Amino acid sequence: MSPPTGIALLGATGSIGATAQRVVARHPARFRFVAMTAHSDRAALAAADARWRPAVVGLVNPGNEPLPERWSHGRECLVEAATHDDVAIVLNAVVGAVGLEATLAAVSAGKRVALANKESLVMGGALVQRAMCSGGGTVVPVDSEHSALLQCLAGRVGGRGPGLLPVAGVRRFIITASGGPFREWDAKRIHQATLADVLKHPTWAMGRKISVDSASLANKALEVIEAHLLFGVPYERIEVVVHPQSIVHSMVEFEDGSVVAQLGVPSMELPVLYALGYPDRITDDGVPRFDPVASSPLTFEPVRHDLFPTLGLGIAAGVTGGAAPAVFNAANEAAVARVLAGTMAFSTIPGAIELALSRLGHHSGEDLPALLAADAAARVLVQEYR
Ligand code: NDP
Ligand code: MG
């Protein structure tokens, strides 16, 4: 039997990082951690280090305390982990655009990127594609909707065409959204929402940033852009539908009218396992099982775009292209940081993003410096937004 495949887990201390550790623990003959990183949660990283003993351990922001001798620090540790010789798969589970550099380095070095960090693709999709072409790496989505699309597309991915995983014969993608905690709230109530309300996701347990994104539907905008960049399907053929139970993770309508959906309980275990094993399915009794009767009924409803304008702003940025998706993402990240810090109300997120897009959305974003400049300018605008 071949030795276990080496994994670099970027964002080991987060929600996806914890899921990945649970999944890999069930498959020691198949996978092992070669590298692990965190931002500043030293205690959680030390626990992961003690458990897995990876060759590379990186803490981006160590503060003032000295680090164990084996550990690296600073932002460079993400690239060091992602490009280590013994790493075949980079599970990028950091949060935010900061993940782009590692994604680019990994695909340039010929690695598979199991991508949870959708922000890096939204910011630099064209750059990732170029780096894949020159370096020979690949990207496999971890996001549950995109994992679902990939599974629905079984056997049809590859060949020529736009996108990182080009597909043919697709009439429409139908991406599902839980609707978030404010699905049934009116405008006045959303306006008065507290941070605790924002973070109370009805179906998924996730990190704080993506939880805010789920409440505003910014997450769904990022996912529509992600779907377009991954599979090359035009924006006008990507629809979003609200599905409060989060059981149907997405659907593909083919040219003959057949619609194929992927179902499962709301857990990231299967998407992580599938991205690590792709294109194989790995036997795993630990993934939570689906019970159709217990999950009934499954319902679908339209998005209330008037109450959740961030979704439309993000999709429009995707259609505009150039630096606009990077501006959308950076403005959203900055706005979410302010909401989490208590210096901005949740209901002002769309206004802040709209301002950044109106000022910066037309920039070309032709290379990394241009994208980084647009990203930085958007963050400054949102920081000063009143
Ligand atoms: P968490 O906030 O739970 O974890 C984020 C991880 O990234 C932590 O390990 C954190 O380290 C690290 N990190 C944070 N900031 C930086 C930084 N500046 N540099 C390096 N590392 C950093 O997030 P999630 O696990 O929820 O999400 C991770 C990614 O996966 C996001 O892009 C999200 O959109 C995506 N995703 C998440 C899903 C989920 O179910 N959670 C579902 C689908 C996608 P530390 O702990 O030290 O702060
Ligand atoms: Mg998702």
Side-chain angles (χ1 to χ4, degrees):
M1 199 171 160
S2 46
T5 303
I7 298 175
L9 179 57
L10 313 183
T13 51
S15 163
I16 294 287
T19 302
Q21 293 186 55
R22 281 198 305 276
V23 168
V24 166
R26 296 199 295 269
H27 302 280
R30 216 180 255 269
F31 303 114
R32 74 189 170 104
F33 289 115
V34 171
M36 290 178 142
T37 73
H39 179 256
S40 45
D41 191 341
R42 173 189 292 257
L45 188 64
D49 181 19
R51 182 175 182 194
W52 302 99
R53 282 286 160 189
V56 176
V57 184
L59 189 64
V60 172
N61 180 5
N64 294 326
E65 275 184 56
L67 286 180
E69 211 173 297
R70 286 175 42 248
W71 288 23
S72 319
H73 61 89
R75 251 177 84 168
E76 313 80 69
C77 70
L78 296 176
V79 170
E80 182 193 348
T83 56
H84 190 282
D85 280 348
D86 295 343
V87 165
I89 302 177
V90 177
L91 176 42
N92 191 344
V94 306
V95 60
V98 69
L100 178 60
E101 213 182 336
T103 295
L104 289 173
V107 292
S108 299
K111 316 285 190 194
R112 164 183 298 186
V113 176
L115 188 70
N117 176 242
K118 63 194 98 185
E119 297 95 335
S120 66
L121 191 62
V122 168
M123 179 182 181
L127 303 184
V128 174
Q129 177 131 34
R130 254 181 265 155
M132 269 174 63
C133 289
S134 63
T138 53
V139 173
V140 179
V142 168
D143 216 346
S144 60
E145 294 76 2
H146 307 75
S147 177
L149 294 171
L150 185 60
Q151 293 176 65
C152 295
L153 290 163
R156 288 172 161 267
V157 170
R160 289 172 177 275
L164 310 185
L165 297 161
V167 291
V170 167
R171 185 185 285 166
R172 191 164 54 128
F173 282 169
I174 304 167
I175 295 182
T176 53
S178 71
F182 306 140
R183 181 175 64 88
E184 294 180 299
W185 289 32
D186 61 24
K188 189 169 163 227
R189 223 176 137 202
I190 293 175
H191 196 73
Q192 294 163 350
T194 64
L195 183 55
D197 295 327
V198 173
L199 293 174
K200 214 182 291 160
H201 197 279
T203 50
W204 293 93
M206 308 180 288
R208 285 158 68 86
K209 191 263 181 181
I210 188 175
S211 296
V212 180
D213 287 352
S214 298
S216 68
L217 297 201
N219 182 50
K220 218 40 62 176
L222 295 171
E223 291 182 353
V224 169
I225 299 171
E226 183 185 7
H228 169 78
L229 293 169
L230 281 172
F231 300 109
V233 170
Y235 283 104
E236 64 272 18
R237 292 202 262 133
I238 304 176
E239 283 176 23
V240 176
V241 66
V242 173
H243 168 50
Q245 298 82 21
S246 301
I247 295 290
V248 175
H249 297 307
S250 278
M251 307 175 229
V252 177
E253 181 182 358
F254 292 99
E255 278 170 342
D256 61 359
S258 175
V259 178
V260 177
Q262 190 264 340
L263 284 72
V265 297
S267 152
M268 290 307 293
E269 300 237 349
L270 188 272
V272 167
L273 178 70
Y274 189 71
L276 297 180
Y278 179 80
D280 298 332
R281 287 197 181 274
I282 296 173
T283 306
D284 190 328
D285 292 335
V287 171
R289 301 285 293 273
F290 169 60
D291 175 346
V293 175
S295 300
S296 297
L298 300 183
T299 60
F300 301 91
E301 53 195 67
V303 175
R304 297 192 300 164
H305 283 280
D306 52 333
L307 294 187
F308 301 100
T310 306
L311 175 59
L313 286 169
I315 295 173
V319 172
T320 301
V327 170
F328 171 78
N329 177 66
N332 179 58
E333 277 187 31
V336 170
R338 287 192 59 188
V339 169
L340 289 172
T343 65
M344 204 175 105
F346 170 80
S347 59
T348 56
I349 291 175
I353 294 175
E354 201 167 11
L355 172 76
L357 282 170
S358 70
R359 298 265 182 90
L360 305 163
H362 55 280
H363 287 211
S364 73
E366 69 280 2
D367 55 19
L368 188 56
L371 287 173
L372 290 172
D375 174 292
R379 286 171 202 265
V380 171
L381 278 177
V382 173
Q383 201 50 46
E384 291 165 355
Y385 184 75
R386 292 286 170 268

